[in-house]
Amino acid sequence: MHIENESYMHSSGRGADSHFKVVLVSDAFNGVRKVARHQMLYQLLAEELKNGIHALALHTYTLDEWQALEQQFPKSPNCLGVGQ
């Protein structure tokens, strides 16, 4: 699992702890559609999502999917609100 605080890339600014990217590789995702994978994580993180996390980018993979991607972490786009 890789968790990255990307708040600095958004208009919320550094220290806001409001935007996160999660990359999670697990055999628990075998045979599970991406939407269902995200739903699993939303259930686990329900309290955190209610209390300050504004955005959560989820990248969920089976081990085979992750190996096919050559274990490259997905890049995140800059927020349109940065600098405005």
Side-chain angles (χ1 to χ4, degrees):
M1 178 188 307
H2 172 79
I3 301 171
E4 188 173 337
N5 185 340
E6 297 186 327
S7 299
Y8 71 94
M9 297 170 52
H10 300 273
S11 58
S12 55
R14 285 194 189 278
D17 293 335
S18 60
H19 292 71
F20 293 88
K21 173 171 58 178
V22 175
V23 178
L24 182 58
V25 180
S26 175
D27 288 334
F29 296 141
N30 287 335
V32 179
R33 294 184 359 240
K34 287 197 183 266
V35 170
R37 296 173 189 183
H38 289 202
Q39 289 170 335
M40 291 164 64
L41 292 174
Y42 290 144
Q43 284 181 324
L44 290 172
L45 299 170
E47 194 63 33
E48 288 81 0
L49 291 167
K50 288 179 189 175
N51 295 310
I53 294 179
H54 173 72
L56 184 62
L58 297 175
H59 303 277
T60 56
Y61 306 102
T62 64
L63 183 57
D64 288 341
E65 291 168 340
W66 181 241
Q67 289 174 338
L69 290 173
E70 298 180 0
Q71 301 177 9
Q72 296 292 316
F73 290 105
K75 301 246 185 254
S76 298
N78 286 327
C79 176
L80 295 176
V82 171
Q84 294 182 0

